């Protein structure tokens, strides 16, 4: 509580002024405030290669500390990313946008009076990312196989229209087309050459173009079975001058395919 008394040159004091009344000691502080254009309330859409700009006016006392994050991680200034801040404004610039720049950007202000955050969602329109792997190869024989995969996790901001499936022999560099406009996430590939080793790849396509490829591991075109092992323990019984009975045990291995029957041969000892 304060009051003031005047003193003149003769050293005489006046009556005291009225009291101010009780005053509590405290810092003169204001919590941070963020003022953004209403357009940032909706999803901000930019095309691949364009520039993304998010700007805001800021206030607070003392001046708040400014931080920008994307999907929960602090944004570091790099060749494509720039942050320009003054005492009263902040601006995030992302140049040459790519698909991975899609996500949630959060501006956070902090001072002794509190913390304030504001999120802006951004979508970059681009070609699709790679399909969800692995690219599985099943039912392999000497001339065909079946491929399956998942849709891309990043569709580039547009529906996947179709998939392109290609193959190449590991001994060659050129890819050949298997399917040009496939609407499903699986297909059967035929006309393989027995004994050749192949790699397959699949690309999603949206209205912005052909996406990144997902490749399979090398696969050899061959039947999954081989010849059976020889029958065992052959015995001759019930011998007469016109006939005899043969008995034997099943082969230890059927070569991966059920035994369909037996071939019996004979020769005269001479």
């Amino acid at each position: 509580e304060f009051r003031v008394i005047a003193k003149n040159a003769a050293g005489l004091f006046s009556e005291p002024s009225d009291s101010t009344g009780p005053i509590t000691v405290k810092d003169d502080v204001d919590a941070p405030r963020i003022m953004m254009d209403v357009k940032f309330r909706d999803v901000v859409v930019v095309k691949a290669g364009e520039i993304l700009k998010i700007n805001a006016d800021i206030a607070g006392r003392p001046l708040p500390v400014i931080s920008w994050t994307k999907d929960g991680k602090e944004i570091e200034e790099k060749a494509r990313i720039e942050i320009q801040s003054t005492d009263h404004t902040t601006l995030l610039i992302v140049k040459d946008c790519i698909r991975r720049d899609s996500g949630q950007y959060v501006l956070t202000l902090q001072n002794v009076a509190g913390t304030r955050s504001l999120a802006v969602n951004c979508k970059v329109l681009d070609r699709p990312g790679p399909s969800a792997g692995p690219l599985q190869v099943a039912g392999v024989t000497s001339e065909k196989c079946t491929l399956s995969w998942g849709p891309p996790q990043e569709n580039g901001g547009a529906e996947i229209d179709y998939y392109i499936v290609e193959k190449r022999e590991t001994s060659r560099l050129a890819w050949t087309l298997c399917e040009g406009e496939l609407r499903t996430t699986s297909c059967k590939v035929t006309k393989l050459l027995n004994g050749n080793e192949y790699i397959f790849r699949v690309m999603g396509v949206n209205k912005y173009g052909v996406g990144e490829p997902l490749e399979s591991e090398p696969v050899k075109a061959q039947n999954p079975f081989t010849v059976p092992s020889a029958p065992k323990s052959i015995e001759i019984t019930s011998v007469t001058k016109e006939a005899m009975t043969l008995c034997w045990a099943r082969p230890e291995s059927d070569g991966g395919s059920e035994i369909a029957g037996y071939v019996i041969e004979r020769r005269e000892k001479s």
Side-chain angles (χ1 to χ4, degrees), residues 99 128-133 150-157 160:
R99 185 178 52 252
S131 296
Q153 292 181 331
E154 299 172 341
N155 65 4
I160 301 297

Side-chain angles (χ1 to χ4, degrees), residues 8-188:
N8 64 16
L12 301 174
F13 293 90
S14 71
E15 291 293 316
S17 69
D18 292 336
S19 168
T20 59
I23 296 173
T24 303
V25 176
K26 63 178 181 178
D27 287 327
D28 187 12
V29 297
D30 290 321
R33 300 196 311 280
I34 301 173
M35 288 74 72
M36 266 191 193
D37 194 300
V38 292
K39 69 182 180 184
F40 293 117
R41 293 178 187 172
D42 298 323
V43 176
V44 178
V45 178
V46 295
K47 291 181 180 176
E50 292 183 348
I51 297 175
L52 168 66
K53 289 184 178 181
I54 304 174
N55 63 292
D57 292 329
I58 60 176
R61 191 184 304 170
L63 292 174
V65 176
I66 301 166
S67 64
W68 286 92
T69 60
K70 177 181 180 288
D71 300 330
K73 294 181 181 177
E74 187 158 353
I75 296 174
E76 297 177 3
E77 293 196 65
K78 298 177 183 174
R80 292 191 308 110
I81 300 174
E82 196 177 328
I83 298 171
Q84 300 175 358
S85 298
T86 69
D87 288 351
H88 305 293
T89 64
T90 183
L91 169 64
L92 173 69
I93 301 172
V94 182
K95 302 171 186 172
D96 297 323
C97 280
I98 57 176
R99 185 178 52 252
R100 291 185 186 87
D101 293 326
S102 296
Q104 187 176 73
Y105 294 83
V106 178
L107 167 62
T108 300
L109 305 181
Q110 187 172 21
N111 67 11
V112 292
T115 302
R116 178 86 171 92
S117 294
L118 204 58
V120 177
N121 292 302
C122 173
K123 180 189 285 186
V124 178
L125 305 180
D126 197 0
R127 302 174 302 132
S131 296
L135 177 48
Q136 294 185 321
V137 186
V140 181
T141 71
S142 60
E143 54 189 33
K144 65 180 186 292
C145 68
T146 301
L147 308 178
S148 61
W149 59 93
Q153 292 181 331
E154 299 172 341
N155 65 4
E159 291 295 313
I160 301 297
D161 294 325
Y162 57 87
Y163 295 92
I164 296 172
V165 181
E166 296 177 331
K167 72 175 188 288
R168 74 172 175 88
E169 296 173 28
T170 52
S171 59
R172 298 171 182 264
L173 295 175
W175 293 90
T176 57
L177 188 67
C178 302
E179 295 283 350
E181 289 193 15
L182 187 71
R183 309 282 172 179
T184 60
T185 55
S186 64
C187 74
K188 182 180 280 189

